[in-house]
């Protein structure tokens, strides 16, 4: 894989000087047209130590219009980052459509370093690379352009550069492997890099391996490759063909074959007043206690509340929040996205609100809007909501790996009960604003929603984040069920030992506490 | 001040039960109307230990629609917060217009605690309270409603509550002052609280002191006070009369009386090519070195670039960024605000990008848009841009106190030079998009801008953040001047010892490293 990066390719000074003005003009022009497009560009700058990644980025900043270009290094992890799932850092760095983010190392840095230091096995590494492929595919299907550069040096050249760096006062690079070990380390690193590149060199996000011996060759190759990639995307802006999707089977058109999970839900449960009061008192006390215990154990909880209109989501959330210390929770109501959110992948707006370790976040509606309202109303294309199931499962898996307890509730009521509640809302002064024409329109699509909910539950009820279907015709029953489930799930999670560490990937589990090695 | 909070006021259970439904209806209705208004509501919940601030907030969350209410505690400061000016935490918690933020303690917590622990004097405290008054006034003039509650307990009652809390397993409150000292501590805390309340009890942001002995009285008083405050604001949405402004004197209408700082700037400076190349090499090396030194010393730099159109802001910024390691800087181009930004005070969008300690941020245009384009084009009202000078000075003062080096450059060219550059842009393919009709329109307002710039420089050139006026007709001269200034300012700042600590307020200087005491 790296043979072509050891040919000693060079570019003479005069040739470089002659090429640059034209290249720069073309880059600025492409960048200007990019600004009006729906494509965000992610440039990954990775490679062996000493290959001059910083110099390359400086060159890009010189050639491009720095308006619309952001550079992100992933050196010093802040405690806000440590207290959240690993990929939160990368979501923070996502460019809006029309702009460019240059990422040093990005999501490749850690897996390579962990493997190099022997903190994980090849199998662990491959597992991580599978996640990376899915992650990149997700971004690209959403319209992003991912351009990945790997800078390489022959052994002798790298050794020379590292020596220079170690001498240089300004360099962060202070270590030099001892002479005898160097060939072995070089070869070990190269093997790992090759494994990583081979496994993530996909048709939609290929690696560009560039020899870094000659700086002019290196920079010119980067500039021209980036230019070609952007121009190519602008000429063919449509996203790549979607990955094959696991689709639901076609159902025979008989009523019984069409039965859904929702139909099977017994809405007849009721709880009488006295029993309810006793149960709620007990559950509220238990919940408050568990919330503090989770805070002390640094375990976060994410609760998702979905349900048909007027199913009682708000009231149920209020029963939870009023039982917990207000400093421990946050409620997030999902309404229309802001323009900053619309400019990025639809999961970005959920990533940005991920709680720090130890807190509870309640979502009144959630990322499931993608496969519910957006599907039924046609706001998302068929391909978009179809691939959302996998994207959401991946998202929740990452939350869980980070030790976050994910609870998902679907609140169901019958059409008759909904009608009664709609009418009651219209008759109660302070509830009138809760009922709109849209609610009446949604009601007409009852069956479409039922099918969407059925598929959502089947395809996103995972071992680590199952759906809890709640019969809501009787509000008291629904509230007791929800609180009981929350307490049980918190109990189970808090009983796990050791809590967070056990949940990560294999590489994560073995992650040493030592800081990331600075790269040049 | 606290006499009325020791009268033993109570509310009988039946009365409470009878009042609540009506109050809740009214609150929900007010909240609904608030949603459509331009007012964001900040509710500050402060008071003596044991007064049940957490209970009050839970009650509000029960009564209000939690959609549109966010609660913020300022317990555990994250390192991202520590690495930025103190008020960054509070800016993060600002509600958008139409919503409510409930803040535990807010900006009052730290000053009171520092004074109580003897870490600062009354004079230091007063200095901090002056800042708080200015800060609240700024928010209120922008349309915010600030409702401040202080919960108080008589001595015996507090002692009883603290005992209960110390016994309670779930409470964070574990300490109990010894019996002999308690009366003294109670009285000392009360004196400080009284000083704080007296100094910040302004007509536009009054304190509501509420006796917390009886929970029903306390909660009902809070609910009704908040309701009255919101309804009052909705009935009279216009901001309060502005603070008296220091205005520029009227100038006699003779040409010589109208001379501005800009007119006095000698635009004739030039640098010849060879000298330029030598100087730039030296300055670029120096800059790179200083950037690393600042990184190591955890000193941030904020550079503001303003100037007439085509004055060379972008090119100058590029000369700086290409000299510095790309991992150390960020460039931010100020364009139209996003909708999330428009929903808050205009300084919010600048606060959110404040760099962490150790990094450089370059602003291509900045918060000065308020007193330049927004003034000249009439996007801001007269009162808005007039008060912006003070707001900006306060903002930059806080940056400086945090150890951030603030550099402000105004790049000036002559009208003839601008015309030449506009024409050149129209003739260069990749520069055509840099010249728009707006640029030609701005040109017609040359004299208006000159006056605005003159006033801006006079009123915001402070000891801690002076303006540097740069003659830009000769690009080489301008770039050398800017880089030289940056190197000099960094040198001077890095020579200060001890760097950051010396810059804070008196309270800051004495701030102990111990964590903030948890409150109940």
């Amino acid at each position: 894989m790296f043979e072509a990066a050891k040919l000693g390719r060079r570019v003479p000074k005069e040739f470089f000087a002659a090429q640059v003005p034209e290249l720069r003009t073309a880059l600025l022009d492409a960048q200007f047209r990019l600004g009006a497009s729906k494509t965000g560009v992610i440039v990954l700058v990775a490679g062996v130590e000493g290959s001059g990644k910083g110099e390359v980025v400086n060159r890009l900043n010189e050639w491009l219009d720095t308006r619309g270009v952001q550079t992100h290094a992933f050196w010093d992890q802040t405690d806000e980052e440590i207290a959240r799932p690993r990929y939160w850092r990368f979501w923070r760095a996502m460019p809006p459509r029309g702009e460019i983010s240059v990422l040093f190392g990005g999501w490749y840095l850690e897996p390579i370093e962990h493997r190099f230091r022997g903190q994980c096995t090849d199998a662990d590494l491959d597992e991580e690379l599978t996640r990376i492929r899915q992650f990149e595919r997700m971004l690209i299907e959403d319209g992003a352009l991912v351009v990945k550069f790997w800078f390489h040096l022959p052994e002798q050249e790298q050794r020379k550069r590292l020596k220079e760096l170690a001498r240089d006062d300004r360099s962060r690079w202070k270590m030099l492997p001892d002479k005898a070990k160097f060939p072995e380390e070089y070869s070990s690193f190269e093997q790992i890099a090759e494994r990583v590149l081979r496994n993530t060199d996909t048709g939609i996000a290929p690696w560009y391996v560039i020899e870094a011996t000659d700086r002019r060759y290196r920079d010119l190759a980067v500039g021209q490759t980036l230019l070609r990639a952007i121009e190519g995307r602008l000429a063919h802006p449509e996203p790549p063909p979607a990955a094959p999707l696991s689709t639901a089977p076609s159902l025979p058109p008989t009523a019984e074959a069409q039965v859904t999970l929702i139909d099977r839900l017994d809405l007849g449960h009721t709880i009488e007043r006295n029993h309810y009061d006793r149960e709620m008192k007990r559950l509220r006390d238990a919940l408050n206690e568990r919330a503090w215990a989770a805070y002390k154990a640094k375990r976060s909880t994410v609760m998702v509340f979905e349900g048909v209109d007027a199913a009682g989501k708000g009231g149920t959330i209020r029963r939870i929040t009023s039982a917990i210390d207000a400093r421990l929770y946050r409620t997030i109501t999902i309404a229309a996205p802001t323009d900053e959110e619309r400019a990025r992948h639809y999961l970005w707006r959920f990533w940005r609100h991920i709680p720090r370790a130890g807190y509870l976040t309640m979502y009144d509606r959630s990322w499931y809007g993608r496969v519910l309202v957006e599907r039924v109303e046609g706001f998302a294309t068929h391909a978009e909501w179809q691939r959302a199931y996998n994207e959401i499962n991946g998202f929740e898996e990452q939350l869980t790996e980070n030790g976050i307890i994910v609870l998902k509730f679907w609140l169901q009521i019958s059409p008759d009960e909904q009608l009664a509640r709609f009418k009651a809302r219209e008759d109660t002064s302070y509830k009138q604003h809760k009922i709109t024409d849209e609610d009446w329109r949604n009601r007409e699509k009852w069956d479409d929603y039922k099918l969407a909910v059925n598929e959502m539950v089947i395809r996103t009820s995972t071992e680590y984040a199952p759906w809890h279907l709640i019969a809501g015709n009787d509000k008291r029953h629904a509230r007791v069920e929800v609180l009981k489930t929350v307490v049980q799930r918190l109990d189970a999670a808090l009983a796990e030992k050791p809590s967070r560490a056990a949940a990560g990937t294999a590489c994560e589990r073995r992650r040493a506490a030592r800081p990331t090695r600075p790269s040049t």
Side-chain angles (χ1 to χ4, degrees), chain A:
Chain A
M1 189 146 217
F2 300 121
E3 297 76 9
K6 297 173 184 176
L7 299 173
R9 289 181 183 165
R10 309 190 75 79
V11 164
K13 193 167 182 182
E14 305 69 37
F15 183 80
F16 183 79
Q19 289 278 302
V20 164
E22 196 184 326
L23 174 62
R24 236 200 109 188
T25 305
L27 275 171
L28 286 172
D29 178 62
Q31 195 187 353
F32 178 67
R33 287 183 291 130
L34 180 74
S37 80
K38 288 196 171 299
T39 298
V41 179
I42 296 160
V43 180
L44 278 163
V45 174
V48 299
E49 295 293 347
S51 56
K53 298 184 280 286
E55 292 168 3
V56 168
V57 175
N58 268 355
R59 188 69 90 179
L60 287 177
N61 276 312
E62 190 187 323
W63 287 346
L64 293 165
D65 188 344
T66 48
R67 299 169 235 212
V69 181
Q70 291 296 339
T71 304
H72 299 270
F74 299 98
W75 274 349
D76 28 9
Q77 222 177 353
T78 69
D79 60 2
E80 297 212 5
E81 290 172 343
I82 290 167
R84 292 186 173 87
R86 268 185 315 142
Y87 272 51
W88 190 68
R89 296 206 282 166
F90 306 126
W91 282 95
R92 280 183 120 182
M94 285 298 145
R97 303 182 200 288
E99 298 195 9
I100 301 174
S101 281
V102 180
L103 311 185
F104 278 99
W107 35 89
Y108 289 99
L109 195 62
E110 227 180 52
I112 293 178
E113 292 198 344
H114 285 176
R115 183 70 194 93
F116 182 65
R117 292 201 207 112
Q119 289 161 353
C120 64
T121 65
D122 275 347
D124 300 332
L125 180 61
D126 288 350
E127 191 185 319
E128 184 65 21
L129 298 179
T130 304
R131 159 158 306 165
I132 287 179
R133 279 200 308 276
Q134 285 167 353
F135 179 63
E136 290 180 355
R137 167 167 282 280
M138 183 179 72
L139 299 176
I140 292 163
E141 286 180 343
D142 186 56
L145 170 65
V146 179
V147 186
K148 304 188 288 194
F149 291 107
W150 183 269
F151 299 99
H152 214 73
L153 290 171
E155 188 181 325
Q156 284 320 306
E157 181 67 23
Q158 192 190 15
R159 186 156 172 78
K160 200 180 97 196
R161 296 261 183 114
L162 294 184
K163 264 191 188 165
E164 285 166 16
L165 286 172
R167 265 203 308 272
D168 185 350
D169 211 33
R170 281 177 222 152
S171 165
R172 286 168 67 111
W173 180 262
K174 298 292 173 215
M175 300 169 287
L176 193 64
D178 77 64
K179 211 169 176 176
K181 279 196 190 152
F182 187 75
E184 194 191 323
E185 295 210 346
Y186 177 87
S187 145
S188 153
F189 189 85
E190 196 172 62
Q191 274 172 33
I192 294 164
E194 180 163 338
R195 183 176 200 98
V196 168
L197 266 63
R198 202 175 54 226
N199 274 298
T200 54
D201 188 35
T202 57
I204 54 173
W207 277 101
Y208 300 102
V209 177
I210 291 177
E211 178 170 0
T213 310
D214 179 60
R215 289 179 168 84
R216 286 188 292 267
Y217 168 79
R218 179 193 66 193
D219 295 355
L220 210 52
V222 167
Q224 284 169 345
T225 306
L226 180 61
L227 173 64
R228 200 184 58 199
I230 296 177
E231 285 184 337
R233 170 55 60 90
L234 291 173
H236 303 284
E238 63 283 359
L245 296 162
S246 59
T247 44
S250 296
L251 306 177
T254 69
E256 278 170 19
Q258 307 275 345
V259 160
T260 67
L261 289 167
I262 300 302
D263 297 311
R264 286 280 181 256
L265 195 62
D266 180 0
L267 298 177
H269 292 291
T270 56
I271 292 189
E272 51 125 2
R273 186 84 217 183
N274 278 345
H275 182 55
Y276 172 75
D277 288 344
R278 265 198 320 276
E279 273 293 275
M280 283 302 271
K281 188 174 173 346
R282 186 183 66 81
L283 287 166
R284 287 166 52 94
D285 285 350
L287 196 55
N288 183 29
E289 199 181 328
R290 301 315 185 278
W292 277 114
Y295 175 76
K296 279 168 197 151
K298 289 199 181 297
R299 293 292 297 266
S300 290
T301 306
V302 162
M303 296 184 213
V304 167
F305 290 87
E306 294 280 357
V308 297
D309 291 328
K313 295 188 292 295
T316 308
I317 291 173
R318 204 147 45 233
R319 292 315 176 286
I320 296 176
T321 57
S322 66
I324 302 175
D325 191 299
R327 284 157 284 203
L328 294 184
Y329 70 81
R330 217 180 146 191
T331 52
I332 292 172
T333 305
I334 299 304
T338 67
D339 53 7
E340 292 180 39
E341 292 168 343
R342 258 189 299 267
R344 291 173 176 90
H345 190 281
Y346 84 96
L347 281 178
W348 185 80
R349 57 194 293 227
F350 305 107
W351 272 99
R352 70 194 288 218
H353 293 303
I354 292 297
R356 269 190 290 153
Y359 293 86
L360 296 97
T361 311
M362 266 137 293
Y363 286 90
D364 189 340
R365 305 201 186 275
S366 68
W367 40 95
Y368 284 100
R370 191 73 160 183
V371 295
L372 294 172
V373 59
E374 290 192 45
R375 166 185 174 167
V376 173
E377 302 294 338
F379 300 150
T381 66
H382 188 265
E384 279 172 345
W385 64 257
Q386 277 281 348
R387 67 174 184 254
Y389 297 113
N390 273 331
E391 293 173 351
I392 287 173
N393 285 340
F395 171 54
E396 292 176 356
E397 188 181 16
Q398 288 192 55
L399 300 185
T400 317
E401 281 177 4
N402 189 246
I404 298 178
I405 304 153
V406 180
L407 280 144
K408 305 186 294 196
F409 295 102
W410 176 263
L411 272 65
Q412 181 67 38
I413 52 175
S414 66
D416 290 348
E417 178 64 24
Q418 189 189 48
L419 187 62
R421 291 191 189 177
F422 277 12
K423 287 193 171 153
R425 284 185 175 183
E426 288 187 327
D427 293 342
T428 311
S429 70
Y430 69 92
K431 284 187 172 170
Q432 278 165 8
H433 66 264
K434 290 178 78 176
I435 180 93
T436 63
D437 290 349
E438 207 185 312
D439 294 318
W440 290 105
R441 275 197 305 276
N442 287 346
R443 201 173 141 74
E444 286 165 25
K445 298 188 177 159
W446 187 276
D447 286 339
D448 294 339
Y449 274 101
K450 202 169 70 176
L451 283 177
V453 172
N454 191 54
E455 191 171 356
M456 170 188 84
V457 172
I458 290 169
R459 297 182 65 179
T460 60
S461 216
T462 53
E463 178 196 359
Y464 47 86
W467 274 100
H468 301 281
L469 304 184
I470 305 290
N473 270 15
D474 182 70
K475 283 185 181 176
R476 292 196 287 259
H477 169 77
R479 289 168 187 170
V480 166
E481 281 299 298
V482 168
L483 264 74
K484 215 186 269 177
T485 308
V486 176
V487 171
Q488 279 168 0
R489 287 282 310 276
L490 283 172
D491 273 344
L494 291 169
E496 290 165 16
K497 290 269 175 204
S499 58
R500 287 184 58 189
T505 63
C507 271
E508 283 255 290
R509 278 197 293 276
R510 292 184 200 128
R511 173 148 57 151
R514 54 188 278 204
T516 304
R517 186 172 57 169
S519 66
T520 319

